[in-house]
Amino acid sequence: MNIQPLLDALDLQEHAARALTDDLRAQIDYLQTRLREAETHLDHIAITRKTITGLTDRLPASLPELPEHPDYTGILAVFNEATGSLRAKDVCEALGHELPKKVEGTRAKLKRLVKLGILTEVGTGKLRQEAITDATTSNPAPSVTRKRTSPYEPPT
């Protein structure tokens, strides 16, 4: 009896089994790498959550929600950089808006910010930013600032 065909068939099966095990080992290595990356990401999320919850006592009690229009962000940036009170015309100049066309619209936005408690009217038409205080320490919270895009310096 010639066993060579049987041995050749076994060689083919052995070669296929080795190729399969090599492929599976490569997949396992890939999955172990992905698993380590996912576990590291989970660890980072847990650290971030712990950091944020540890800071909650330092956050202001509640901040009013800013209206959607992009002008409000610019208006607040102008007030963050101001050293004194401002008028609607001053804000328009700082934002580079066309005068006198935009003054009334800006004045309406300023009045809305007063109603939200973000700005305070300190005189007829003069406004300043309301200090946001930390509820636990009664210290002013730091303002969010943005680089000035206008050369305007508000009066003091």
Side-chain angles (χ1 to χ4, degrees):
M1 168 172 178
N2 189 2
I3 62 167
Q4 192 57 43
L6 183 59
L7 292 175
D8 290 342
L10 283 174
D11 285 343
L12 286 174
Q13 287 182 2
E14 182 182 16
H15 179 68
R18 284 190 195 284
L20 178 62
T21 57
D22 290 344
D23 184 48
L24 290 173
R25 280 191 185 104
Q27 288 180 31
I28 289 170
D29 290 343
Y30 172 75
L31 290 173
Q32 285 178 334
T33 301
R34 297 265 329 265
L35 178 61
R36 279 191 299 274
E37 290 170 353
E39 287 172 339
T40 300
H41 185 68
L42 279 172
D43 289 344
H44 290 175
I45 290 171
I47 291 167
T48 302
R49 181 181 309 278
K50 185 176 180 179
T51 302
I52 289 172
T53 55
L55 294 174
T56 56
D57 61 331
R58 297 181 188 173
L59 295 175
S62 75
L63 295 175
E65 191 164 326
L66 199 60
E68 292 284 326
H69 197 281
D71 279 355
Y72 288 99
T73 307
I75 289 169
L76 290 181
V78 170
F79 276 94
N80 282 340
E81 295 177 14
T83 57
S85 60
L86 300 173
R87 295 182 177 276
K89 181 180 175 185
D90 301 327
V91 174
C92 283
E93 288 174 355
L95 293 173
H97 287 179
E98 186 179 335
L99 296 174
K101 184 179 177 182
K102 297 280 188 171
V103 174
E104 286 306 315
T106 301
R107 184 173 287 118
K109 289 178 180 79
L110 294 173
K111 293 288 185 182
R112 186 166 186 196
L113 292 173
V114 168
K115 285 182 183 177
L116 291 171
I118 297 171
L119 298 179
T120 303
E121 196 161 0
V122 293
T124 306
K126 289 184 175 183
L127 302 149
R128 68 174 169 81
Q129 190 167 13
E130 186 65 34
I132 300 171
T133 59
D134 183 325
T136 59
T137 63
S138 299
N139 291 330
S143 299
V144 176
T145 58
R146 182 175 88 175
K147 186 175 181 179
R148 181 176 291 259
T149 58
S150 170
Y152 172 76
E153 289 296 325
T156 56

mmCIF file of all heavy atoms in Angstrom, residues 82-103:
data_model
loop_
_atom_site.group_PDB
_atom_site.id
_atom_site.type_symbol
_atom_site.label_atom_id
_atom_site.label_comp_id
_atom_site.label_asym_id
_atom_site.label_seq_id
_atom_site.Cartn_x
_atom_site.Cartn_y
_atom_site.Cartn_z
ATOM 1 N N ALA A 82 -13.360 95.250 28.924
ATOM 2 C CA ALA A 82 -13.617 96.636 29.324
ATOM 3 C C ALA A 82 -13.196 96.868 30.766
ATOM 4 O O ALA A 82 -13.282 95.983 31.606
ATOM 5 C CB ALA A 82 -15.101 96.959 29.156
ATOM 6 N N THR A 83 -12.751 98.075 31.029
ATOM 7 C CA THR A 83 -12.374 98.420 32.399
ATOM 8 C C THR A 83 -13.434 99.270 33.078
ATOM 9 O O THR A 83 -13.331 99.545 34.266
ATOM 10 C CB THR A 83 -11.036 99.188 32.403
ATOM 11 O OG1 THR A 83 -11.172 100.342 31.569
ATOM 12 C CG2 THR A 83 -9.915 98.300 31.906
ATOM 13 N N GLY A 84 -14.435 99.671 32.345
ATOM 14 C CA GLY A 84 -15.497 100.486 32.922
ATOM 15 C C GLY A 84 -16.812 100.176 32.239
ATOM 16 O O GLY A 84 -16.962 99.152 31.588
ATOM 17 N N SER A 85 -17.761 101.083 32.383
ATOM 18 C CA SER A 85 -19.060 100.871 31.755
ATOM 19 C C SER A 85 -18.982 101.249 30.280
ATOM 20 O O SER A 85 -18.129 102.033 29.862
ATOM 21 C CB SER A 85 -20.127 101.693 32.476
ATOM 22 O OG SER A 85 -19.803 103.064 32.413
ATOM 23 N N LEU A 86 -19.886 100.684 29.499
ATOM 24 C CA LEU A 86 -19.930 100.927 28.056
ATOM 25 C C LEU A 86 -21.338 101.285 27.625
ATOM 26 O O LEU A 86 -22.308 100.897 28.265
ATOM 27 C CB LEU A 86 -19.489 99.665 27.284
ATOM 28 C CG LEU A 86 -18.093 99.126 27.536
ATOM 29 C CD1 LEU A 86 -17.918 97.808 26.813
ATOM 30 C CD2 LEU A 86 -17.048 100.113 27.063
ATOM 31 N N ARG A 87 -21.432 101.997 26.531
ATOM 32 C CA ARG A 87 -22.711 102.299 25.889
ATOM 33 C C ARG A 87 -22.843 101.419 24.647
ATOM 34 O O ARG A 87 -21.869 100.829 24.199
ATOM 35 C CB ARG A 87 -22.778 103.773 25.496
ATOM 36 C CG ARG A 87 -22.759 104.720 26.672
ATOM 37 C CD ARG A 87 -22.886 106.166 26.187
ATOM 38 N NE ARG A 87 -22.941 107.077 27.307
ATOM 39 C CZ ARG A 87 -24.050 107.369 27.984
ATOM 40 N NH1 ARG A 87 -25.182 106.828 27.632
ATOM 41 N NH2 ARG A 87 -24.012 108.203 29.001
ATOM 42 N N ALA A 88 -24.033 101.376 24.075
ATOM 43 C CA ALA A 88 -24.274 100.568 22.876
ATOM 44 C C ALA A 88 -23.345 101.008 21.746
ATOM 45 O O ALA A 88 -22.804 100.174 21.012
ATOM 46 C CB ALA A 88 -25.736 100.678 22.450
ATOM 47 N N LYS A 89 -23.114 102.300 21.612
ATOM 48 C CA LYS A 89 -22.242 102.818 20.559
ATOM 49 C C LYS A 89 -20.806 102.310 20.759
ATOM 50 O O LYS A 89 -20.133 101.934 19.805
ATOM 51 C CB LYS A 89 -22.258 104.348 20.571
ATOM 52 C CG LYS A 89 -21.396 104.980 19.503
ATOM 53 C CD LYS A 89 -21.460 106.496 19.584
ATOM 54 C CE LYS A 89 -20.482 107.096 18.593
ATOM 55 N NZ LYS A 89 -20.414 108.538 18.700
ATOM 56 N N ASP A 90 -20.347 102.278 22.012
ATOM 57 C CA ASP A 90 -19.004 101.789 22.311
ATOM 58 C C ASP A 90 -18.860 100.314 21.906
ATOM 59 O O ASP A 90 -17.845 99.904 21.336
ATOM 60 C CB ASP A 90 -18.693 101.921 23.802
ATOM 61 C CG ASP A 90 -18.789 103.355 24.300
ATOM 62 O OD1 ASP A 90 -18.472 104.270 23.523
ATOM 63 O OD2 ASP A 90 -19.184 103.537 25.477
ATOM 64 N N VAL A 91 -19.886 99.525 22.197
ATOM 65 C CA VAL A 91 -19.860 98.098 21.860
ATOM 66 C C VAL A 91 -19.836 97.926 20.342
ATOM 67 O O VAL A 91 -19.071 97.114 19.813
ATOM 68 C CB VAL A 91 -21.059 97.360 22.494
ATOM 69 C CG1 VAL A 91 -21.119 95.911 22.036
ATOM 70 C CG2 VAL A 91 -20.991 97.438 24.010
ATOM 71 N N CYS A 92 -20.655 98.713 19.631
ATOM 72 C CA CYS A 92 -20.679 98.637 18.164
ATOM 73 C C CYS A 92 -19.304 98.959 17.588
ATOM 74 O O CYS A 92 -18.825 98.278 16.676
ATOM 75 C CB CYS A 92 -21.712 99.604 17.587
ATOM 76 S SG CYS A 92 -23.398 99.014 17.755
ATOM 77 N N GLU A 93 -18.662 99.995 18.100
ATOM 78 C CA GLU A 93 -17.336 100.365 17.606
ATOM 79 C C GLU A 93 -16.326 99.263 17.887
ATOM 80 O O GLU A 93 -15.500 98.927 17.039
ATOM 81 C CB GLU A 93 -16.880 101.677 18.253
ATOM 82 C CG GLU A 93 -17.617 102.887 17.742
ATOM 83 C CD GLU A 93 -17.259 104.173 18.487
ATOM 84 O OE1 GLU A 93 -16.492 104.104 19.482
ATOM 85 O OE2 GLU A 93 -17.759 105.230 18.088
ATOM 86 N N ALA A 94 -16.408 98.664 19.076
ATOM 87 C CA ALA A 94 -15.472 97.596 19.439
ATOM 88 C C ALA A 94 -15.669 96.364 18.547
ATOM 89 O O ALA A 94 -14.721 95.665 18.232
ATOM 90 C CB ALA A 94 -15.640 97.221 20.905
ATOM 91 N N LEU A 95 -16.905 96.117 18.146
ATOM 92 C CA LEU A 95 -17.201 94.966 17.294
ATOM 93 C C LEU A 95 -16.996 95.269 15.814
ATOM 94 O O LEU A 95 -17.102 94.372 14.988
ATOM 95 C CB LEU A 95 -18.645 94.499 17.524
ATOM 96 C CG LEU A 95 -18.952 93.915 18.898
ATOM 97 C CD1 LEU A 95 -20.441 93.649 19.045
ATOM 98 C CD2 LEU A 95 -18.157 92.642 19.124
ATOM 99 N N GLY A 96 -16.740 96.533 15.495
ATOM 100 C CA GLY A 96 -16.543 96.915 14.101
ATOM 101 C C GLY A 96 -17.846 97.012 13.324
ATOM 102 O O GLY A 96 -17.844 96.913 12.101
ATOM 103 N N HIS A 97 -18.956 97.217 14.030
ATOM 104 C CA HIS A 97 -20.257 97.358 13.366
ATOM 105 C C HIS A 97 -20.398 98.748 12.765
ATOM 106 O O HIS A 97 -19.827 99.720 13.263
ATOM 107 C CB HIS A 97 -21.390 97.128 14.358
ATOM 108 C CG HIS A 97 -21.545 95.699 14.753
ATOM 109 N ND1 HIS A 97 -22.489 95.294 15.643
ATOM 110 C CD2 HIS A 97 -20.893 94.564 14.386
ATOM 111 C CE1 HIS A 97 -22.416 93.991 15.820
ATOM 112 N NE2 HIS A 97 -21.444 93.535 15.069
ATOM 113 N N GLU A 98 -21.202 98.816 11.742
ATOM 114 C CA GLU A 98 -21.450 100.081 11.052
ATOM 115 C C GLU A 98 -22.312 100.988 11.936
ATOM 116 O O GLU A 98 -23.352 100.587 12.450
ATOM 117 C CB GLU A 98 -22.179 99.788 9.742
ATOM 118 C CG GLU A 98 -22.374 100.999 8.865
ATOM 119 C CD GLU A 98 -23.079 100.626 7.568
ATOM 120 O OE1 GLU A 98 -22.997 99.461 7.154
ATOM 121 O OE2 GLU A 98 -23.704 101.523 6.984
ATOM 122 N N LEU A 99 -21.827 102.216 12.146
ATOM 123 C CA LEU A 99 -22.565 103.200 12.948
ATOM 124 C C LEU A 99 -23.300 104.138 12.017
ATOM 125 O O LEU A 99 -22.793 104.466 10.958
ATOM 126 C CB LEU A 99 -21.613 103.998 13.841
ATOM 127 C CG LEU A 99 -20.874 103.209 14.913
ATOM 128 C CD1 LEU A 99 -19.865 104.092 15.612
ATOM 129 C CD2 LEU A 99 -21.834 102.627 15.919
ATOM 130 N N PRO A 100 -24.424 104.649 12.349
ATOM 131 C CA PRO A 100 -25.310 104.378 13.485
ATOM 132 C C PRO A 100 -26.279 103.224 13.222
ATOM 133 O O PRO A 100 -27.133 102.928 14.048
ATOM 134 C CB PRO A 100 -26.074 105.678 13.641
ATOM 135 C CG PRO A 100 -26.219 106.191 12.253
ATOM 136 C CD PRO A 100 -24.947 105.774 11.546
ATOM 137 N N LYS A 101 -26.122 102.576 12.078
ATOM 138 C CA LYS A 101 -27.061 101.544 11.639
ATOM 139 C C LYS A 101 -27.286 100.428 12.655
ATOM 140 O O LYS A 101 -28.405 99.985 12.866
ATOM 141 C CB LYS A 101 -26.543 100.965 10.317
ATOM 142 C CG LYS A 101 -27.443 99.961 9.671
ATOM 143 C CD LYS A 101 -26.826 99.496 8.351
ATOM 144 C CE LYS A 101 -27.665 98.433 7.713
ATOM 145 N NZ LYS A 101 -27.066 97.938 6.485
ATOM 146 N N LYS A 102 -26.252 99.959 13.309
ATOM 147 C CA LYS A 102 -26.349 98.788 14.188
ATOM 148 C C LYS A 102 -26.554 99.134 15.669
ATOM 149 O O LYS A 102 -26.693 98.237 16.488
ATOM 150 C CB LYS A 102 -25.073 97.947 14.069
ATOM 151 C CG LYS A 102 -24.841 97.373 12.692
ATOM 152 C CD LYS A 102 -25.690 96.156 12.497
ATOM 153 C CE LYS A 102 -25.325 95.450 11.197
ATOM 154 N NZ LYS A 102 -25.966 94.176 11.080
ATOM 155 N N VAL A 103 -26.580 100.401 16.018
ATOM 156 C CA VAL A 103 -26.647 100.786 17.429
ATOM 157 C C VAL A 103 -27.937 100.304 18.092
ATOM 158 O O VAL A 103 -27.899 99.752 19.197
ATOM 159 C CB VAL A 103 -26.465 102.313 17.601
ATOM 160 C CG1 VAL A 103 -26.681 102.729 19.046
ATOM 161 C CG2 VAL A 103 -25.091 102.735 17.129
#
